[in-house]
Each structure stands twice: as structure tokens, then as C-alpha cells.
Amino acid sequence: MFSIAGFFLVKATHIYTEEEVEYHLHKIMALVQETLLRLPLLEKNPKMMLWQTPFYDIKDLPESYVDFKKLQLPITSPLLPPTLPGATMELEWGSLPTLDELKQFMNENPLKLKESLTLIKGMSIETVLQKKLSKLRETNISNLNFKQSQRNRVDKSVFVTQNKNVVGGGTNSILNALAAYLRYLEGTARDDWQQVHEKLRDAESRDGASFFTLFGPAICLGIISRRRVHYEAIKYEKERNAGFLSPFGYSATTVTAAADAVCSMEWYWLMALKGQISDEGTYPIRIWRWNGYLIQYTVVGNEGPAVLLVHGFGAFLEHYRDNIHGISKGGNRVWAITILGFGKSEKPNVIYTELLWAELLRDFIIEVVGEPVHLVGNSIGGYFASIVACFWPALVKSVVLINSAGDVIPGYGYLQFSKERKTSVVARLGAQLLLLFLRLNIRTIMKDYYPTKTERADDWLINKMLRASFDPGVLVVLESIFSLNLSLPINYLLEGFKEKALIIQGMKDPISDSKSKVSMLKEHCSGVAIRKLDAGHCPHDEKPEDVNPIICQWVVAAESKILAGSIS
């Protein structure tokens, strides 16, 4: 941040800061500007100057990645850092705060998360899941304690962070690690480069995934820019090919991984920036950064219980277009999120699992909402909501599942669940064929999902889905269809939510037997309320006039039970 005394001493006229897209950083910058306007005894208030290091010289970003690629914009080269003159004046910087003063500041910080919620993030969902299943099996869980293999200490190691698997240090250290990463195929005798190669292999969960794992934090912190990474990758590629670039792709997999990653990051950053300055839409679009990735969300309403809406596979927060305000008018604060891999949220090169998406929702509730929520999910989003409710019940007041994915398994006693996920050639080919099929048939598919109101599967919805299908990284997301594990039954996940779970089921769902599912839910999910609707797979969007009152009434009833419980 900045020092008030410093402005008086140096008589600063301008403040330069990097332009960001995250909502909480926007709030900080607004606070800085507000403070500057209130500074006394200054002849002229300092001006805030935003800077950025864009790939492209573009002012009007096309909506579609296809249209953007057609522009064939050249990527700008990075600039060398300027040499700044040294300060010649004697300045009194004051004294460092004591530890007690620092603690007091942190405790009074309005952005400080509630400690009880923050502690929930300390354990991965895999660990929680294995503990729960071990209790179910009544077995010893000592085999879950994995020993980290001891590594020889490397002098001048670039892995200086506490995590030990991400590159850290200053710009020169990052550039050294990047040089080692790009030259992986060449091998090396240098200990520090060998360590980078070892970490690369460990992090390569799928082709190219190691780049962001190793370098993502440094890029997000601005230690090295996306533009510099691209410059170094292309420079090395030209060195390998006598100064030429092949139109058929790069000659080294690491060059491909680095270039693709930063180009993808740039696209999503540009979309996020455009969303921040656009007045389009009926609700504000905000950006949250989760594990380095940009996630889109919105919030409407100023008072009342917190409600979080989670979309299904292939959708986005706008799929709740007629629910967000409708539920908010019922006296609620409503959040809607576009989860990782969908809509205009980032689609990174990672292995997508139901556990990953559940952890994202957990962290969103803790970091953004900041209090327990009534969690509403449609289709696969309902399954994610059920996982969150099961493993972190302190974060969820109630759950509403709208045509949720997941099965009911009677008399489960021993559940097999593996967190291991692998990609394959078959999955990649399947994703390509599936993407082609969906693009050609999306209109017919969506109309089947809306059997009583086919007009709701309109051009707006279809075009939104088609736009997202051309984003970089979408094939990786589709591969997850072939590795998702939905073996944890709904009746197991909702076991601890008796009287706190509502099922809204469209009885004309074309992808499931709704009658059979409702029957199984009634028989094996005691204490679960069920509302049947004459609708298809997406009742919330097909018949929002029916679904919104149901959800609002449910939240009121759930809050009354919570209040009654706290009084008793």
C-alpha cells in the first residue's frame, strides 16, 4: 500500500499501480483513491495511474475466441525494466510496528475472514473423504499418512517457498527456472535445473499441466509477466529451429505448455477486464481468483440469508438469469458462480474432478460469501452441493437439489472411492467427438431439456453455450466427463441433512427416470422434502415463476428452524 507521511515528504503527484480484475483488489483501489481525496494540506491530490502488460494492442475485445483469433494480432515484446534514479533526499520513514500492533491491525481488518471458517480450508477433501469412509468401514486410517520422500538439498534451489513445489524468488530466479523448464528435453548436469525437471515430472498430471503448477504463483504475483514467459518460450523455439517457427506447432512439449498456458490466461484476463468495465447485464459481474484462476460470480441483495446458486455441466451463472433477482426479492442475498471450466471462468489445463469443484465451492463460501449459505445446485451442480454439505456441514444451512446428478444406493455399507484420475487417448478422442456433437446438436438437446417451454431454450442461451465451447481449454474440461466419479450416493451425502434438504424434480427430465428417482429418494432419504414439477432437466430456468417461490419459502422455513434451534 502506501504511506501517508511519504506523500507529504516526497510531494508525490502520481501513483502507478497495475490494473487488476479481482473484485477485492478493486475495493482496495477505491479505498486508496477515497483516502487520497481526503488528504489534507496537499495543493493537488495525487492521480492514480493504471498500467498493464498486455499481449495485444486491442481496445474492443470480440465476444468469441474464434473471432479474436481471426484478428491475428501480434504479441507485443516485453520491455526491459527502466533504471530509476536514486533518492537524494533524507527521509524519515518512522519505526516498524511491533508484533502486537500488527496483530491488532489484522484483528481489526474488515476483510479478515472468520477464523472458524478459515480453519475448514486446512484439510483437503481427499483427507476428509478418506476419514469419513474409514469410519464407515470401521477400519484403521493409519495407512493415509504418506511419507514425503527425502530429497537431497540443492544449492541455489528455486523452490524456496513453503510449498516446495512451486518456483519462487525474484525475477532472475524465475527466469532461470523457466530456462530449465523449457530445456527439459535436452537434459542437464546442473543440480538446480535437474530439480526443476524432477518437479516437472511430478507435476505433469496431464500433458502441459506442470507449467502452471510450477510457475502460476510467480505469474499471479507479477514476479514475471505472461508476456515475458511467451517471449522466452518463442525465443527458445527459434533457437531450436534456426530462427523459424513452424505453422504446425512447437517442437518441444514444454514450449507448447508454456505458450498455451499464458495465451489462455491472457484471453481470460481480457474477458474479465471487459466484464469489469461493461454495463451490460442485469447484475454486476465480479471476479474472484481461486488457486490462481479467474472465476466469475455475481451477488444481488443487501440483506437476508445467503443463498448460493450452482449451475450444471456446460452452463454458467447466467443460467439462473430469472432466479437471481427473483430469489433476492424474497428477502435474500443471492450469489451465483460460474465454476472453473465453464462460461467465462478460466479453463486451465488441470484434471477436473467432482472433488476439485467441491473444494472450489467450499473456498468461495469461506472467502467470498463469508458465512454459511443455503446451497442450491442443478444437475451436476447439485451433486457438488451435496458433497460440500456432507464434508463441510458448518458451511451449509440447507441444500436444494434441482434434478441433481447422483444415484440412490440402498443399504450401502462399504463405499469404494478412488481419487486417482488419469487422462487417456480414448478420453481425448471422446472429448473431441463430444464437442463436435454438442456444437451441432446443442439447440435440439436444450429444447429436449425444456419440454414444457421449449421457447426458454432461446438464441441467447444457445449462443452463450456455443461461445464458451470455443474457449481455450474447453476440451480438457470435456475430458472430465470420462473420469468423473459419482459413486458416493446421494442418500449417503445427505445423511446428515435430515429436515435440511429439498429436492426439486422436473418429472419430464429426458436424461433420467424421474419417477424412479423420486421413489428411491422417498424410500432411502429420510427427512428430505420433495417437490415435483411438470418440467424437464432445468426447472429453475424453464419455470422460474414456480421454482423461485419454492426456494424462497424453503429458505424462510429453514431459517425459522435454525432460529428455533438456537433459542432452545
Side-chain angles (χ1 to χ4, degrees):
M1 293 301 288
F2 64 97
S3 165
I4 298 296
F7 282 113
F8 289 112
L9 290 169
V10 303
K11 297 181 179 179
T13 59
H14 294 79
I15 300 172
Y16 289 87
T17 181
E18 186 174 5
E19 187 166 14
E20 303 284 1
V21 294
E22 294 98 306
Y23 177 71
H24 82 279
L25 293 178
H26 278 207
K27 287 180 65 177
I28 292 174
M29 295 311 303
L31 180 62
V32 171
Q33 289 181 310
E34 183 182 334
T35 303
L36 291 175
L37 293 174
R38 295 200 309 262
L39 283 179
L41 305 177
L42 287 181
E43 296 178 4
K44 190 175 181 180
N45 295 101
K47 293 181 63 176
M48 190 78 72
M49 307 294 292
L50 299 178
W51 62 271
Q52 54 180 257
T53 57
F55 268 34
Y56 315 99
D57 183 14
I58 184 171
K59 294 180 180 178
D60 188 16
L61 184 72
E63 184 74 9
S64 166
Y65 188 68
V66 174
D67 294 335
F68 173 73
K69 294 292 287 183
K70 288 178 181 178
L71 297 177
Q72 296 184 330
L73 297 172
I75 297 179
T76 54
S77 299
L79 302 175
L80 294 176
T83 301
L84 301 176
T88 57
M89 61 185 74
E90 293 293 330
L91 301 177
E92 176 58 47
W93 296 107
S95 58
L96 288 173
T98 65
L99 181 59
D100 289 338
E101 290 171 337
L102 184 59
K103 287 180 178 178
Q104 181 181 357
F105 171 78
M106 293 303 296
N107 288 330
E108 294 174 353
N109 184 358
L111 298 178
K112 179 179 179 290
L113 296 173
K114 295 180 180 179
E115 185 176 0
S116 59
L117 295 185
T118 308
L119 291 175
I120 294 177
K121 291 178 59 180
M123 188 178 294
S124 72
I125 188 171
E126 288 91 348
T127 304
V128 178
L129 173 60
Q130 293 293 352
K131 284 186 175 182
K132 277 183 170 287
L133 294 185
S134 294
K135 286 183 180 179
L136 184 64
R137 301 166 192 162
E138 297 180 348
T139 58
N140 194 316
I141 63 171
S142 59
N143 62 326
L144 294 175
N145 297 322
F146 297 101
K147 291 184 178 180
Q148 293 289 335
S149 58
Q150 297 296 318
R151 308 292 186 188
N152 294 328
R153 184 173 179 178
V154 177
D155 292 333
K156 299 181 181 179
S157 173
V158 295
F159 297 92
V160 297
T161 62
Q162 185 177 7
N163 204 2
K164 296 298 184 184
N165 65 347
V166 299
V167 175
T171 301
N172 290 335
S173 177
I174 304 298
L175 287 172
N176 174 52
L178 179 62
Y181 182 89
L182 294 173
R183 290 160 178 78
Y184 173 72
L185 295 179
E186 297 179 8
T188 180
R190 292 176 52 173
D191 287 346
D192 57 338
W193 281 27
Q194 285 182 1
Q195 189 184 34
V196 172
H197 294 173
E198 180 183 0
K199 298 289 186 180
L200 184 162
R201 290 189 291 270
D202 292 341
E204 194 77 347
S205 57
R206 53 166 292 111
D207 293 345
S210 58
F211 176 78
F212 191 86
T213 300
L214 270 58
F215 294 93
I219 295 174
C220 293
L221 288 172
I223 302 173
I224 186 173
S225 68
R226 299 185 293 272
R227 190 164 67 180
R228 183 63 184 271
V229 170
H230 189 271
Y231 172 81
E232 295 294 336
I234 298 304
K235 184 175 73 171
Y236 173 62
E237 177 69 10
K238 289 181 177 179
E239 289 174 4
R240 286 175 56 87
N241 296 281
F244 294 99
L245 289 178
S246 170
F248 304 107
Y250 301 117
S251 61
T253 55
T254 48
V255 172
T256 301
D260 287 353
V262 293
C263 286
S264 176
M265 292 170 69
E266 184 71 11
W267 167 250
Y268 290 108
W269 188 89
L270 287 171
M271 279 207 299
L273 182 63
K274 181 179 180 180
Q276 297 297 297
I277 61 178
S278 173
D279 293 329
E280 298 177 4
T282 57
Y283 26 75
I285 295 299
R286 297 178 178 179
I287 300 297
W288 168 56
R289 190 180 288 276
W290 180 72
N291 290 354
Y293 308 119
L294 300 178
I295 307 296
Q296 187 186 69
Y297 73 98
T298 190
V299 57
V300 172
N302 299 315
E303 58 183 7
V307 179
L308 174 57
L309 308 177
V310 185
H311 61 81
F313 204 95
F316 26 76
L317 71 84
E318 292 91 346
H319 200 204
Y320 288 101
R321 50 185 166 174
D322 291 325
N323 309 109
I324 296 173
H325 280 292
I327 298 173
S328 173
K329 290 176 181 177
N332 305 294
R333 287 169 297 141
V334 180
W335 278 263
I337 184 174
T338 298
I339 60 177
L340 191 75
F342 298 100
K344 291 186 178 180
S345 288
E346 202 159 343
K347 302 172 182 62
N349 185 6
V350 299
I351 294 181
Y352 293 86
T353 70
E354 68 289 341
L355 303 185
L356 173 81
W357 280 310
E359 284 194 336
L360 180 147
L361 294 177
R362 175 201 66 186
D363 294 351
F364 184 82
I365 295 170
I366 294 171
E367 295 181 15
V368 180
V369 182
E371 63 182 271
V373 301
H374 297 277
L375 195 50
V376 180
N378 170 235
S379 191
I380 194 70
Y383 192 76
F384 303 155
S386 300
I387 294 176
V388 175
C390 178
F391 297 121
W392 303 290
L395 299 179
V396 183
K397 290 182 175 181
S398 76
V399 289
V400 179
L401 308 183
I402 306 174
N403 285 64
S404 176
D407 296 322
V408 177
I409 301 178
Y412 65 84
Y414 183 86
L415 297 177
Q416 284 280 38
F417 190 92
S418 173
K419 68 177 183 179
E420 296 297 328
R421 311 296 166 89
K422 295 181 180 179
T423 60
S424 65
V425 175
V426 174
R428 295 190 193 105
L429 178 60
Q432 293 172 351
L433 295 175
L434 179 60
L435 180 59
L436 179 61
F437 173 79
L438 291 174
R439 285 175 179 167
L440 293 175
N441 298 278
I442 186 63
R443 192 175 298 276
T444 301
I445 294 171
M446 292 309 298
K447 287 189 178 296
D448 288 343
Y449 280 13
Y450 292 68
T452 66
K453 284 190 176 181
T454 56
E455 68 275 10
R456 290 290 291 175
D458 53 19
D459 289 343
W460 176 89
L461 181 61
I462 302 302
N463 290 336
K464 283 276 187 182
M465 290 183 166
L466 285 174
R467 189 220 64 79
S469 76
F470 289 97
D471 277 343
V474 72
L475 277 172
V476 180
V477 184
L478 284 178
E479 281 182 35
S480 68
I481 290 179
F482 302 94
S483 61
L484 283 176
N485 187 339
L486 308 186
S487 62
L488 295 176
I490 289 291
N491 46 323
Y492 168 74
L493 295 175
L494 296 182
E495 193 174 60
F497 266 68
K498 293 178 181 179
E499 311 300 331
K500 294 190 293 184
L502 168 66
I503 307 293
I504 299 177
Q505 187 70 26
M507 300 305 291
K508 293 182 178 178
D509 192 338
I511 63 174
S512 67
D513 184 348
S514 293
K515 289 183 179 179
S516 175
K517 188 161 191 174
V518 167
S519 176
M520 294 290 284
L521 287 166
K522 286 180 178 179
E523 184 176 355
H524 301 286
C525 293
S526 61
V528 172
I530 299 175
R531 293 292 299 270
K532 297 185 288 186
L533 292 178
D534 183 30
H537 188 64
C538 309
H540 63 286
D541 192 41
E542 187 177 1
K543 290 189 171 182
E545 68 279 3
D546 293 338
V547 172
N548 291 347
I550 293 174
I551 293 177
C552 289
Q553 292 164 13
W554 170 260
V555 171
V556 170
E559 288 289 322
S560 299
K561 291 179 182 178
I562 294 171
L563 180 61
S566 63
I567 293 175
S568 61

